[in-house]
Amino acid sequence: METPANDHPVTPAQRALDTLAETPGAADNTSALDTLASSDVLVPVPDDASDQDAADPGMLALPVLEQQGGGQVVPVFTSELEMADLLPYVSRYRMVPLGALAAQWPADDLSLSIDAGSEHRLTLTSDGVRTLLARP
């Protein structure tokens, strides 16, 4: 599949997510995980972040959403289209290498959801983020 129905090109990160979603034993799919970890993702800038904080390359405010049941998740996206489908009101975002984000992921119970509104979404626990996606 080279382009989805809406004629937008499929990114390598989206292909990796598709592979992980479709392949049994997806956690063992090293190539797809490596592709995903080396990809840049869009991290929405929270509304309450100042312009100065949003532009500071040494600081990244994570948008945290509450899930049903009380869990917390940080949504990130592989493209502007994926982000707009789920969070159309987001006006600011940062491009961040997923592997670098994962390498500094908090040790608490904060989950990561990649393309949460799509068919190829992937949600990982904090341990999964650090184990599967962290790159030096």
Side-chain angles (χ1 to χ4, degrees), residues 65-73 111 123:
L65 303 176
E66 291 287 327
Q67 293 181 304
Q68 290 179 339
Q72 295 183 319
V73 64
S111 296
T123 301

Side-chain angles (χ1 to χ4, degrees), residues 36-108:
L36 196 55
S38 66
S39 298
D40 287 340
V41 292
L42 286 66
V43 179
V45 173
D47 290 338
D48 59 352
S50 70
D51 289 339
Q52 181 179 359
D53 287 346
D56 183 349
M59 173 184 265
L60 180 64
L62 296 176
V64 179
L65 303 176
E66 291 287 327
Q67 293 181 304
Q68 290 179 339
Q72 295 183 319
V73 64
V74 173
V76 299
F77 302 92
T78 58
S79 70
E80 288 181 345
L81 181 64
E82 292 292 343
M83 185 172 65
D85 283 348
L86 185 66
L87 302 173
Y89 54 87
V90 170
S91 60
R92 301 182 298 173
Y93 63 86
R94 305 257 312 255
M95 293 285 291
V96 177
L98 185 55
L101 179 64
Q104 298 184 23
W105 199 254
D108 57 13

